[in-house]
Amino acid sequence: FPVMAFIFTTTQWDTSLLSDDGLLVYKVKVTVTVGYIVAAIVLMVLFKIKKLLLRIGFAWCEIAVTVLATQLTFTFALSDNFYLCKLFGLDPHTALLPARSGPFSDTAFLLALANITVALHFAMPIRWYILATHEVATVLVYGVCTLGLGGPEEPSSQRLRFVALFTALVCLTAVGKRQIERTERAMFARLVAERSLRTQVEFQLSKLDQRSLSAPDDGQSVPSTSASGALFRHLENTILGE
């Protein structure tokens, strides 16, 4: 996350593209980004302390990472030159000198938000219901920026289309995360059931071995009439029934 914040912000750090009014935007952006990177590094250092992790538990670690990622979405919003100018009541077309910086677009902002969402859902062991707050916050951040403050995409129907597509992306990612969790839990339950059945069979066989050692030798037993034969028939019927 600190690397993503650094990359997103440094791509817009050319002060020569700023007018006098835009210098304020530049200073705020640098302050917000540096503050987030410092906070993320401090959290990473704390996560290296094993005693602290054992004390707070796994659930609080999930919440801390989710909060950090959610803060990154706000950091991206405050690191975007266009939306930061809008937030301060400045005209981006005069404060950022677009003739030299190129046309404005939401592409980098949307890709950054999508990267956070994908990283949280598929690269980190965080349960899906904890990520619900991040999903709502991410959609709201982009919606408020592009619809509330006024995004660079024209016409307005294009901005609304971007919000709808980004919302669909977040929803599908959440559904995929939930489906992965359900599959993992089903596989784990099946593994536990198989190991439990194997343990029961081994225990029953050990009891049969003890009985056979203590019983007199009456000759070779017939599988169809012996206790072990009955046991194996019972297991076979159980497996066929499943």
Side-chain angles (χ1 to χ4, degrees):
F1 290 153
V3 174
M4 293 174 62
F6 179 78
I7 293 175
F8 181 79
T9 308
T10 51
T11 55
Q12 307 180 60
W13 272 12
D14 189 356
T15 56
S16 63
L17 301 178
L18 302 177
S19 63
D20 294 337
D21 293 335
L23 289 177
L24 175 61
V25 174
Y26 172 80
K27 293 178 181 179
V28 172
K29 179 173 64 175
V30 172
T31 303
V32 170
T33 303
V34 172
Y36 176 83
I37 292 176
V38 171
I41 292 175
V42 170
L43 186 63
M44 292 170 59
V45 173
L46 292 177
F47 277 177
K48 295 294 183 180
I49 305 176
K50 295 183 179 180
K51 292 183 179 180
L52 179 61
L53 294 179
L54 294 176
R55 187 178 183 85
I56 63 178
F58 183 74
W60 283 106
C61 293
E62 292 179 300
I63 294 174
V65 174
T66 304
V67 170
L68 185 68
T70 305
Q71 289 178 347
L72 184 57
T73 61
F74 291 97
T75 302
F76 282 161
L78 295 176
S79 299
D80 188 86
N81 290 334
F82 185 88
Y83 290 117
L84 199 54
C85 287
K86 287 280 191 176
L87 188 63
F88 278 91
L90 301 175
D91 184 6
H93 298 85
T94 58
L96 301 179
L97 304 179
R100 298 174 59 186
S101 61
F104 299 115
S105 176
D106 272 346
T107 302
F109 188 31
L110 275 174
L111 287 176
L113 296 180
N115 282 332
I116 302 174
T117 303
V118 172
L120 272 181
H121 285 74
F122 301 116
M124 296 185 180
I126 303 176
R127 286 166 288 184
W128 71 275
Y129 69 90
I130 296 180
L131 297 174
T133 54
H134 169 79
E135 296 159 1
V136 174
T138 302
V139 174
L140 288 179
V141 165
Y142 181 68
V144 169
C145 287
T146 189
L147 297 179
L149 297 178
E153 305 295 340
E154 294 293 344
S156 58
S157 59
Q158 182 74 358
R159 297 195 292 268
L160 185 60
R161 186 180 298 112
F162 278 12
V163 172
L165 291 175
F166 182 66
T167 303
L169 172 66
V170 173
C171 291
L172 291 175
T173 305
V175 172
K177 176 68 174 181
R178 176 57 176 164
Q179 185 63 33
I180 290 175
E181 284 191 7
R182 293 181 61 182
T183 303
E184 290 176 347
R185 291 178 181 178
M187 294 176 64
F188 180 76
R190 182 175 181 180
L191 177 63
V192 171
E194 291 178 354
R195 290 188 176 181
S196 177
L197 180 61
R198 182 181 302 175
T199 303
Q200 295 177 8
V201 171
E202 291 177 351
F203 176 71
Q204 294 179 10
L205 288 177
S206 65
K207 292 176 61 177
L208 290 177
D209 291 339
Q210 293 177 357
R211 293 177 182 177
S212 62
L213 291 176
S214 60
D217 188 9
D218 295 334
Q220 185 177 3
S221 62
V222 181
S224 61
T225 59
S226 63
S228 60
L231 174 62
F232 283 113
R233 286 197 307 274
H234 174 70
L235 293 176
E236 183 179 358
N237 293 332
T238 302
I239 295 176
L240 292 176
E242 293 179 355

